[in-house]
Amino acid sequence: MKQIDKDMIIGDVLKVDKGLVPILMQAGMHCLGCPSSQMESLEDACMVHGMDVDELVGKLNGYLQANA
């Protein structure tokens, strides 16, 4: 099973499973298709959006575990 970590580039996170998109959108990351998402780490994006990266990584990995 793939795991998400805070150092992953958002573009790479999206390649793991398209089911992660709604989780990211619900968290407030509405610019997943913008060019910066292809070069920005999940941790950097969370910092910009004022989110707790560990909480978001937990939700993403929880989804992956439940849908493995």
Side-chain angles (χ1 to χ4, degrees), residues 9-11 35-41 44:
I9 302 298
I10 293 175
S36 66
S37 74
Q38 301 305 309
M39 299 180 292
E40 189 172 46
S41 73
D44 290 341

Side-chain angles (χ1 to χ4, degrees), residues 17-30:
D17 189 311
K18 294 297 180 192
L20 299 174
V21 170
I23 297 168
L24 292 168
M25 295 286 284
Q26 186 177 29
M29 291 189 186
H30 300 279

Side-chain angles (χ1 to χ4, degrees), residues 11-64:
D12 293 337
V13 171
L14 298 176
K15 291 176 189 173
V16 170
D17 189 311
K18 294 297 180 192
L20 299 174
V21 170
I23 297 168
L24 292 168
M25 295 286 284
Q26 186 177 29
M29 291 189 186
H30 300 279
C31 55
L32 298 176
C34 72
S36 66
S37 74
Q38 301 305 309
M39 299 180 292
E40 189 172 46
S41 73
L42 194 55
E43 184 173 36
D44 290 341
C46 284
M47 186 172 44
V48 168
H49 290 280
M51 297 177 206
D52 181 327
V53 68
D54 294 321
E55 181 179 331
L56 182 57
V57 166
K59 288 179 183 180
L60 296 170
N61 284 324
Y63 169 86
L64 292 175

